[in-house]
């Protein structure tokens, strides 16, 4: 598999893992480095805090679906940067929906286990619907 395909596959696997919501210990290790930095509309965190913040953010919904398209990757040796478009659907307990269209970007490094994100940033471009009470989605 070529490097671009490996990175694109990592993006899709990360999105599937987010939607599977199987938050057993170590669930993000196949996708992110231990010291990964996550930048989302809800805030920025690093390492274990980033994993916990992701679980809390997704836990606000009964279901989610993240769809990635247009993955672009620039590779320089053992490092890479990538960006892609995303359509993110979040279903509340009352079945109302928050839709977010956005762009993701990340910095990656090649490890013995394969490519891992060192940084992932989510930028909301548009939203439709209501976020959970007390949550503001910034653009």
């Amino acid at each position: 598999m070529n490097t671009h395909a490996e990175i694109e596959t990592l993006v899709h696997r990360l999105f599937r893992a987010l939607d599977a919501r199987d938050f057993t210990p170590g669930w993000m290790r196949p996708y992110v480095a231990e010291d990964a930095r996550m930048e989302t509309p809800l805030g920025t965190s690093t390492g274990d805090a980033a994993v916990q913040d992701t679980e809390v953010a997704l836990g606000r919904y009964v279901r989610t679906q993240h769809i990635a398209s247009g993955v672009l990757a620039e590779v320089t040796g053992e490092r890479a940067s990538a960006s892609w478009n995303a359509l993110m659907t979040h279903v509340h307990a009352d079945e109302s929906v928050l839709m977010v269209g956005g762009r993701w970007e990340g910095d990656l490094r090649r490890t013995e286990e394969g490519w891992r994100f060192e940084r992932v940033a989510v930028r909301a471009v548009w939203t439709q619907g209501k976020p959970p009470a007390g949550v503001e989605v910034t653009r």
Side-chain angles (χ1 to χ4, degrees):
M1 184 180 301
N2 71 38
T3 300
H4 186 276
E6 290 173 14
I7 292 170
E8 186 172 13
T9 298
L10 181 67
V11 167
H12 291 296
R13 286 185 174 154
L14 172 60
F15 272 19
R16 288 233 178 130
L18 294 174
D19 296 335
R21 308 163 64 82
D22 179 14
F23 303 139
T24 55
W27 72 274
M28 279 190 90
R29 292 294 165 240
Y31 318 106
V32 300
E34 285 189 35
D35 58 348
R37 177 181 174 93
M38 306 287 281
E39 302 167 9
T40 74
L42 302 177
T44 299
S45 51
T46 304
D48 288 339
V51 173
Q52 292 167 354
D53 290 350
T54 300
E55 293 170 5
V56 168
L58 293 175
R60 293 181 170 109
Y61 306 98
V62 294
R63 288 181 304 285
T64 60
Q65 185 176 32
H66 293 73
I67 300 172
S69 68
V71 178
L72 301 174
E74 297 290 330
V75 180
T76 306
E78 303 301 305
R79 297 247 192 253
S81 62
S83 63
W84 61 96
N85 295 310
L87 177 60
M88 299 159 278
T89 305
H90 308 81
V91 181
H92 296 282
D94 68 0
E95 296 295 320
S96 64
V97 174
L98 169 65
M99 299 283 296
V100 181
R103 179 182 163 131
W104 288 55
E105 60 184 39
D107 299 319
L108 303 94
R109 71 174 178 248
R110 190 188 312 263
T111 70
E112 290 181 11
E113 295 81 29
W115 288 99
R116 298 294 183 268
F117 284 104
E118 294 181 308
R119 181 186 68 86
V120 177
V122 183
R123 309 281 186 241
V125 175
W126 61 267
T127 62
Q128 182 177 348
K130 286 187 174 181
V135 173
E136 182 178 332
V137 179
T138 59
R139 292 190 262 292

